Amino acid sequence: MSDSLLPFVEVNPSQDADACVIWMHGLGDSGHGFAPIVSQLALPQSHRIRFIFPHAPERPVTINGGMRMRAWYDIKSLDFNSRADVTGVVESSAQVRRLIEKQITNGIPANRILLAGFSQGGVIALHEGTRFNQSLAGIMALSTYMCEPEKLAGEAHAANKQTPIFVAHGEQDEVVPAFLGNTAFKVLKENGYNCTWHTYNMQHNVCMAEINDISAFINRVLPLQ
């Protein structure tokens, strides 16, 4: 695993940033995939949020015949209990942690940083967000699931126990069935996390109703200062 920072797409506000959203894409996508969503979020014109969309490393993905593509971890099986390669999840989480720490070094405090992810990226957002040792502004887990939920209680850091967590899923999702997202939500709830569950009439994607709710969540946890 390289110690260098992950490459990323950066979308900066018109003024100096005082907050940051780090948003991880899904399997086979790149940071460019979600970057256009910033203009759809209808944030206040004077917002000072920097958006960072990192590119996952390229790696062979077993279920895709070993084809190399951007992936936060390998998927060796479609079995729901062993879908995520844990070693890859831990390595990618460490790389995302370095992105968070870089923003902190650059003057944006942890409590003004929101971690977000879609599908595979959401697995990383949940994994790192619950284990990070400083309180974050929020976590968004979109159309995703939790890696090794049984280990959450033993590995989580108390710093983000009260951090707002937005868990959302499409009711018609055939790639990551909604019950997997709901299971992650229930595990968070059972462990005392401050999380909410949202469903939408969509498949494995985002829709305008969800984007509107994401906008409201971002505005709530990263208010103008």
Side-chain angles (χ1 to χ4, degrees):
M1 183 177 65
S2 170
D3 283 334
S4 60
L5 274 185
L6 288 169
F8 54 83
V9 177
E10 188 170 347
V11 181
N12 277 300
S14 55
Q15 306 176 65
D16 288 345
D18 70 359
C20 182
V21 174
I22 300 174
W23 193 319
M24 279 75 72
H25 61 77
L27 176 66
D29 198 1
S30 75
H32 294 288
F34 270 99
I37 206 169
V38 177
S39 62
Q40 297 180 276
L41 291 173
L43 297 170
Q45 200 165 1
S46 56
H47 86 83
R48 296 173 62 188
I49 303 170
R50 171 183 298 130
F51 285 81
I52 287 179
F53 300 94
H55 304 303
E58 290 188 358
R59 69 182 81 223
V61 176
T62 303
I63 61 159
N64 288 344
M67 188 184 301
R68 289 184 66 84
M69 61 185 64
R70 292 200 180 277
W72 297 106
Y73 50 86
D74 187 18
I75 300 178
K76 296 179 179 176
S77 147
L78 289 176
D79 177 77
F80 294 139
N81 296 315
S82 58
R83 182 175 283 206
D85 170 50
V86 178
T87 301
V89 170
V90 171
E91 287 180 356
S92 287
S93 291
Q95 289 178 301
V96 169
R97 187 179 318 134
R98 284 197 284 277
L99 286 177
I100 300 171
E101 290 167 348
K102 180 69 172 175
Q103 292 302 309
I104 294 171
T105 300
N106 289 347
I108 294 179
N111 66 6
R112 294 285 289 168
I113 297 174
L114 187 157
L115 210 53
F118 175 82
S119 196
Q120 266 206 348
V123 171
I124 305 304
L126 279 178
H127 193 271
E128 182 55 31
T130 52
R131 289 162 176 78
F132 192 66
N133 63 3
Q134 298 182 57
S135 298
L136 298 165
I139 300 167
M140 292 196 304
L142 312 175
S143 303
T144 191
Y145 55 101
M146 186 180 289
C147 176
E148 296 193 312
E150 70 280 359
K151 291 189 176 179
L152 177 65
E155 294 182 0
H157 195 286
N160 284 292
K161 211 60 183 284
Q162 297 306 313
T163 298
I165 305 178
F166 180 98
V167 188
H169 223 103
E171 293 163 351
Q172 279 78 49
D173 194 331
E174 295 180 354
V175 178
V176 179
F179 83 84
L180 287 177
N182 189 248
T183 298
F185 165 72
K186 287 176 178 174
V187 170
L188 290 165
K189 269 291 189 198
E190 287 162 6
N191 282 274
Y193 282 87
N194 174 20
C195 54
T196 53
W197 171 246
H198 310 260
T199 58
Y200 304 92
N201 182 24
M202 64 179 188
Q203 297 176 321
H204 194 62
N205 56 296
V206 294
C207 65
M208 205 59 226
E210 183 183 28
I211 289 171
N212 290 339
D213 288 345
I214 288 170
S215 174
F217 182 76
I218 293 174
N219 279 312
R220 179 166 69 85
V221 303
L222 293 175
L224 294 174
Q225 289 190 331

